[in-house]
Every structure is written in structure tokens, then in C-alpha cells.
Amino acid sequence: MDTNKIYKITVRMPKELRENLIYAANKLNITSNTFMKISLYSYLNSSFFSLADATPINISTIPKDRSTKINLIIDAELHTILEVYAQKNNLTINDLTLYTILVSLNAYDELVKNNINNFQSRLKIAIENKGISQAELARRSGISRASITDYLKGKYKAKPGAIYSLAQALDVDAFWLLGYQNNN
């Protein structure tokens, strides 16, 4: 597998879902592409060894309307994971992506209802709960200490890979770290 290859997937979805996706991403101060990638990484656990652990897909919840589209840019690893999981569940990559977006948007709705904290405060809480320094988190996650400091100050937006690496290093769910879920 060429790990440097980038894939552009055009995801077709109902207009209302696209609008909700863009709205939620903007409110979370991330791009819609980042929202979709975090959704996929979190749902699929981004590992071939974890695919069996994902919640079964309720096919009836996948919208049939495909009136609008949005582009998703992903790397070869995530593309391969999507292909395997979609094939395993007799779905298209588009249907699988739509389903994960729906799951994420439902989690976002819960966030809004419960007024949960943002990424910066969740990152701070997770670091404190883990009892490690920013330097140790940098070592464990492979993300520079300066970047972690910038995330804590809200100076920069974290990219999907960084969010996932931080979540793994802190033993928390990426959705929780972004503020989607109440429980970790």
C-alpha cells in the first residue's frame, strides 16, 4: 500500500445533512473534512484489529437522498479501512461515510443540548487526569510540545491525525476530546 497516496472521495448526501455537517464543524472550529475524518477514525477505531468492535450499522438510518455532495480528502490507510469495513457490511464507502457522519452529528446534538466544553478545556482535563506533563504528552503522541501549548491556548486548530494521536496518548475517546460526548 502506498502510504503517501491521497484519495478524494465525493460523498453524496441530503442537503440538510450537508448543512448540519458544515454548521457543526464551524461551531467546533474545525473544517467539515476534519469532522468527517474524526467521525470515521472514531467509529472505525482506525485499526484493522478494531473493526470488529465498531457498533453494528443500522442500514435503515442511512439517507437515500443524495442531492448534494461534499469532498473528503483521506490518506491511503483510512481509504483501505473504509474499503474493508464497507465490503464487510455490504455497503458503499459513501453509505459508510454517511452513517458515521450521522452518528457524529447525533453526538454533536447531545453536546449542544448539554453545553459540553470545547477541545481546549477537554485537552487540559485529559492531561490533568492522566497526570502527565505537556512534554510527556508530546513524547507519547508524537506531537510537538509547542503545538500542544498552542492547542491549549486555542491558537491553532488540531488536525484529525493530531486529535486522534492525542486521544490515544491520553487514553480518551477522540469524540470526547472534541467535546462531542459527555462520558469518556
Side-chain angles (χ1 to χ4, degrees), residues 28 40 88 94 122 157:
L28 292 167
L40 291 166
K88 178 181 172 186
N94 195 91
R122 289 286 178 100
K157 296 178 188 177

Side-chain angles (χ1 to χ4, degrees), residues 62-131:
I62 300 172
K64 302 294 181 226
D65 175 14
R66 307 294 164 90
S67 57
T68 61
K69 61 185 178 181
I70 193 165
N71 291 323
L72 172 62
I73 309 299
I74 59 173
D75 63 16
E77 179 187 26
L78 183 54
H79 187 265
T80 302
I81 292 168
L82 279 170
E83 284 180 329
V84 168
Y85 200 75
Q87 183 178 19
K88 178 181 172 186
N89 288 280
N90 274 342
L91 297 170
T92 64
I93 288 176
N94 195 91
D95 284 346
L96 179 57
T97 304
L98 277 177
Y99 183 77
T100 60
I101 291 168
L102 285 170
V103 169
S104 295
L105 287 173
N106 286 338
Y108 175 77
D109 288 343
E110 285 297 312
L111 159 76
V112 171
K113 256 196 275 186
N114 298 312
N115 196 19
I116 304 301
N117 296 326
N118 61 19
F119 173 70
Q120 291 95 335
S121 58
R122 289 286 178 100
L123 180 57
K124 182 179 179 183
I125 290 167
I127 292 169
E128 289 171 359
N129 288 345
K130 190 74 173 167

Side-chain angles (χ1 to χ4, degrees), residues 13-52:
M13 63 184 65
K15 182 179 179 182
E16 182 180 353
L17 181 61
R18 184 176 187 272
E19 290 169 355
N20 290 342
L21 167 65
I22 292 169
Y23 177 81
N26 286 337
K27 283 296 191 182
L28 292 167
N29 205 22
I30 59 176
T31 66
S32 54
N33 205 358
T34 298
F35 187 98
M36 290 189 291
K37 284 190 221 178
I38 292 290
S39 299
L40 291 166
Y41 276 116
S42 294
Y43 183 77
L44 301 174
N45 296 314
S46 79
S47 166
F48 287 114
F49 305 107
S50 301
L51 290 178

